Structure formats: C-alpha cells, structure tokens
Amino acid sequence: MRLPSLLRRTPFRLTLLFLALFAAAASAILAWVYFASASEARTKAEREVRGEMQVLTGIYKERGFDALNMALIDRTLRDNSFLYLLKNPDGSQVTGSLTNFPIETLQEDQQWITFPFTDTDVEGRVTRPQVRGVQVRLSGGGMLFVGQSLGDTEAYLARLTQALWTAMGIVLLLGLAGGVLVSRNLERAMGRLNKVVTAVQEGDLKARAVVRNSGDELDELGAGLNTMLERLEGSMASIRHAGDAIAHDLRSPLTRMRAKLEVALMDADAGKINGVDAVQLALDEADNLLKTFNTVLAIARLQAAAGRTPDPKLFDAADLAADMAELYEPASEDKGLEFSAEIERGLMIEGNQPFLAQALANIIDNAIKYTPTGGAVMLRARRRSSGDIEFSVTDTGPGVPEADRERVIERFVRLDNSRTEAGSGLGLSLVGAVMEAHGGRILLDEGPGEYGGFGPGLRVALVLPAAE
C-alpha cells in the first residue's frame, strides 16, 4: 500500500523523528522528576519521622511510659500527619492509629519500613498511600512505631505527571500539525520547481523558478536553478548559432574545394594539368577546414570547463612571453615590420600554458597579419598596479572601431577590412574563451594613433590573476 505523498515527504518524516526524540527525552525527564520527587519526599518523611521519634523517646526516658502514652493520645487527637502505635511489653496495644505493627518480628532495636496503608480521603474514597516509618524497641520491653503518610506527595506527583503528559501530548499534536503544514508548503514549493524541470525536459528552456526573495534554501535552490537554466539556454543558443555559423562559413570553402576537385579531375583527364598540383590545392583547403573545426572544439572544451581552468599548472608568464617573442620576431621581420618586446620577470600565474600560448599566438598573429609593411608590433608582459598579470600586443594597423570591439570576440565575426585575409573569424573568440576559463579578461583599445600613414592601431591586452 502506497502512503500519501504528504507522509512520504522528508520534512514530515523529520518531524516524526523529532517528535519521537522529544517524546523519549520528555519521558526520561518525567521519569527523573518523578523518582527525584519521590526520593526527596521519602527523605523528608524520614527526617520528620526521626525527629518525632526522638521527641517521643525523650519523653519516655524522662517521664516514663504513661507520659509517652499521653503524648501519643494528644498527637493522635490533633490529627497530624504521623501514624503511631504503642504496645506494652506483653504485646497488648495501648495507643495508636494502626491496628498492628508493620514489622511482626523486629530484628534490631530500630528498623525502617515502607508499606501501603489503607485510608480514606476527605471525600470518603478509600486510598492506599505509602507510609514511611520506623519501629523501635523501648528499653522497658514495649514497642513504638512512628510513621508518616506519603499520600500528599503521591497526589502531587500524580497531578504533576498528568500535567506533564498532557503538555507533552499537546506539544506532539502541535508538532504533528506543524510538520503537516511545513510538508505541505514544501510540497507546493517543490511542485513549482518540478514543473520547471518538467517544462525544461519537454524543451521549454525559458521556464524559470519563482524566487520569493525570502533568503531560504528554496530560494537559493530556485536562484541556482534559474542560473543553470540561463547558462543552459545560452549554451544551447550558442550551439545553434555555432552550428548555423559553421554551416554558413564552411559552405563556401566546401563548394570551392568541390569545384577545384571537379576542375582538377577534368583537366587531369584532358592532360592539361598535373594531377598532383590539383590534389595539393584540395589538401590545403582541407587543412583550413580542419583548423576551423579544431578551433571550435577548443572553444567548446573551454566553455565546458564552466569557468575552471583545465589542467592548471604554475609557471612564469615572462617565459611564455619570451618564447612568443622569439617565435614571431622572424615572421615580423619577413613582412618588414619592427618587432619589439618589453618583458618583466617573476610574473607567476597558474593556468593551462598551451591554451594561453595559443591565445597569445592568436593576437600576435593578428597584429602581424593586419599591420601594413613598415609598421610596428610590440609585445609586453608586466604586472599591473592591481597585482594582475597582463600580456599586451600593440600594433600600428588599421585597428578596430570602438563600436565593433565587443563584437569581434564573438564566433565567426569578421570585419569588412579583414574579408580579404585568410581566416575563420574564430581567433579572438578562442582568446575570449581562454580568458573566461582562467578567470581573466580581454581588453581592446586604440593603439598609438595615426602617424606617418599608419594607425590608429590596436592594443589587445590579456589580464590574468597572479598566482597566490
């Protein structure tokens, strides 16, 4: 038999567990109170009985048996809380509120005992309270018993126990009602979240959880779910955009490759060209396509890292900058560019060196590619005043208009002045993905300005947090 959903909720089960623990603790406390009170009442009764016995035995020692008898008669008539019984040495009862001694055979001269005593209360009901008393053998051979009823204490303990049990029952009922209320509220809140999850499973990525701004765990869960859905929606949109862009950008190279292969095949059949040259052209086109795909895969890997650096290692950024300067200085000179580098030492960062090297290579390659002959390219690696590490590449090329500087980091975006250059439009997009994965940022600013027919230029800076 399946329980109702309310009874299967974790808050309700936790409420039952808490109530069970509370009942066990309350029962233990009640038992302790009961036994402690009973022990205290017994100790008090013994103390008072002992004091009364000392008084009576003192009367007996000083004034004799008859004076003791008179004292007992007086005390019995005053209806105090003590019970008495006095017998002669021959065993005949003299005075008392008991008919028989509770201890038939006294083993010692003085012996304590607790026993039930049949009595009636003020309403005439028969009661059997406990009596705590002491029985002593008098020096003349007589016997004296003095005891005190524990009925008042037992009645008090009974009322206390009943009150505690009643209070605990009320607390359990209130706790159970509170558990039901909390479980229902949580069930409604979780139901709203489940509706969002179900909607997303059915393909509605715009579904969002309601955040009440109460600051509780459900709000945190809802906010986290909304953030996750926003990132998921953005990722799916990026995937769709990337797919469309790849299909659009690769259509022309693939069409061109197919056309070249057809022409090469026809020319080879006609004996007009060397088939090896035609195949080489096709291979070059295939290499460009593979390069585009590899770049897209690298960006996807970085974005899948969700802000975490893949395979981070501690290294000196100055060494990386020096390697890049050594690698690209000959290429700059071959194009007739002036290449310079300013590199500080001791720039420790923690990151994925191959990815950072690829990002730095992309911006240096762009600077060399778009800077006209006779221009200049500068590579710098330094520590900023904030403590961050900065790579920057400054050139004297045509630059990027301020309105387009954020757009050029997107995938497959190529400005009009770069259409004649080879490329896929993924270079700065990869750089941006590398910076995001390393917790850094990419900054695009104007270069040194227009001078001598060059400019205004472009300054691309990669800012990374220094290693702690």
Side-chain angles (χ1 to χ4, degrees):
M1 181 177 178
R2 188 174 178 84
L3 294 174
S5 62
L6 178 64
L7 303 183
R8 289 184 279 110
R9 297 297 177 185
T10 299
F12 187 78
R13 293 182 177 180
L14 291 177
T15 300
L16 293 181
L17 177 60
F18 171 76
L19 291 178
L21 294 176
F22 171 79
S27 300
I29 294 175
L30 179 61
W32 179 83
V33 169
Y34 181 87
F35 288 110
S37 300
S39 177
E40 178 63 23
R42 179 175 175 176
T43 302
K44 180 182 177 182
E46 288 183 358
R47 185 169 57 251
E48 293 180 354
V49 167
R50 187 177 290 109
E52 182 71 3
M53 179 61 77
Q54 290 178 352
V55 172
L56 293 176
T57 54
I59 293 175
Y60 173 75
K61 290 178 181 179
E62 294 180 1
R63 299 161 53 189
F65 191 87
D66 292 336
L68 174 60
N69 184 34
M70 292 300 296
L72 290 179
I73 293 173
D74 179 62
R75 281 169 162 76
T76 302
L77 292 176
R78 281 189 288 156
D79 193 23
N80 60 14
S81 61
F82 292 102
L83 299 176
Y84 305 100
L85 182 60
L86 176 64
K87 286 190 176 183
N88 285 317
D90 59 3
S92 61
Q93 180 175 334
V94 179
T95 304
S97 51
L98 298 176
T99 57
N100 294 302
F101 279 102
I103 303 176
E104 296 180 359
T105 303
L106 195 63
Q107 303 295 331
E108 302 175 356
D109 291 340
Q110 175 177 303
Q111 190 170 344
W112 288 88
I113 188 174
T114 301
F115 63 96
F117 174 69
T118 303
D119 196 4
T120 57
D121 59 13
V122 293
E123 297 180 358
R125 293 175 299 186
V126 177
T127 60
R128 288 181 61 82
Q130 293 289 317
V131 174
R132 180 64 176 171
V134 62
Q135 185 173 326
V136 300
R137 185 182 289 112
L138 299 176
S139 58
M143 197 80 67
L144 174 63
F145 173 83
V146 177
Q148 188 176 53
S149 174
L150 303 179
D152 292 341
T153 301
E154 292 178 348
Y156 165 74
L157 290 176
R159 292 193 299 272
L160 177 63
T161 302
Q162 183 178 4
L164 290 175
W165 280 114
T166 302
M168 187 166 67
I170 294 174
V171 170
L172 291 177
L173 289 177
L174 292 177
L176 188 61
V180 172
L181 180 62
V182 171
S183 297
R184 284 183 176 177
N185 291 336
L186 182 61
E187 185 175 17
R188 285 195 291 268
M190 294 303 296
R192 292 192 293 268
L193 294 177
N194 286 331
K195 287 182 180 179
V196 174
V197 174
T198 302
V200 173
Q201 289 176 343
E202 294 175 353
D204 182 11
L205 295 180
K206 294 189 177 298
R208 295 293 183 269
V210 177
V211 179
R212 300 168 298 169
N213 297 320
S214 61
D216 60 4
E217 294 83 355
L218 291 175
D219 264 8
E220 293 179 357
L221 178 60
L225 180 61
N226 289 342
T227 301
M228 180 189 69
L229 291 176
E230 289 172 0
R231 296 194 63 176
L232 178 61
E233 184 181 11
S235 297
M236 294 301 295
S238 178
I239 290 173
R240 286 194 296 269
H241 173 71
D244 295 341
I246 289 174
H248 178 269
D249 276 38
L250 294 185
R251 185 182 296 114
S252 296
L254 287 172
T255 302
R256 186 168 56 251
M257 182 191 306
R258 188 177 186 280
K260 287 184 178 180
L261 289 174
E262 287 181 350
V263 172
L265 179 61
M266 289 186 294
D267 290 344
D269 288 340
K272 296 180 180 179
I273 64 170
N274 186 348
V276 176
D277 295 336
V279 173
Q280 185 62 48
L281 292 174
L283 289 175
D284 292 341
E285 292 292 334
D287 289 340
N288 291 332
L289 290 175
L290 289 174
K291 182 178 179 181
T292 299
F293 277 115
N294 289 334
T295 305
V296 171
L297 290 176
I299 294 174
R301 180 187 175 192
L302 290 169
Q303 291 180 338
R308 297 186 301 271
T309 306
D311 304 324
K313 289 182 175 54
L314 186 67
F315 65 95
D316 192 345
D319 294 337
L320 175 60
D323 291 341
M324 291 294 105
E326 183 179 356
L327 177 64
Y328 280 95
E329 186 174 3
S332 298
E333 293 177 352
D334 290 342
K335 191 178 177 181
L337 302 178
E338 179 184 349
F339 187 92
S340 59
E342 295 181 2
I343 302 173
E344 296 182 12
R345 306 304 301 178
L347 305 177
M348 301 303 296
I349 59 175
E350 185 174 9
N352 184 296
Q353 188 169 356
F355 273 125
L356 290 174
Q358 187 173 359
L360 190 56
N362 281 356
I363 61 175
I364 297 175
D365 185 73
N366 282 345
I368 295 174
K369 182 189 299 182
Y370 295 111
T371 301
T373 301
V377 175
M378 172 178 283
L379 169 65
R380 296 183 67 190
R382 67 186 184 94
R383 187 183 301 274
R384 295 164 64 100
S385 59
S386 61
D388 294 334
I389 307 302
E390 178 188 274
F391 296 105
S392 66
V393 177
T394 305
D395 62 57
T396 59
V400 175
E402 185 175 357
D404 295 326
R405 288 174 188 167
E406 292 186 5
R407 194 168 64 90
V408 294
I409 303 177
E410 299 176 4
R411 292 186 185 182
F412 301 103
V413 172
R414 303 188 69 192
L415 301 182
D416 292 337
N417 59 2
S418 64
R419 292 292 180 181
T420 57
E421 299 288 345
S424 61
L426 290 171
L428 287 179
S429 180
L430 176 62
V431 175
V434 171
M435 289 299 100
E436 182 179 357
H438 285 77
R441 60 191 187 276
I442 177 173
L443 305 175
L444 277 71
D445 298 307
E446 188 173 298
E450 295 186 3
Y451 178 77
F454 295 98
L458 181 68
R459 180 180 182 272
V460 182
L462 308 182
V463 183
L464 296 161
E468 297 180 357

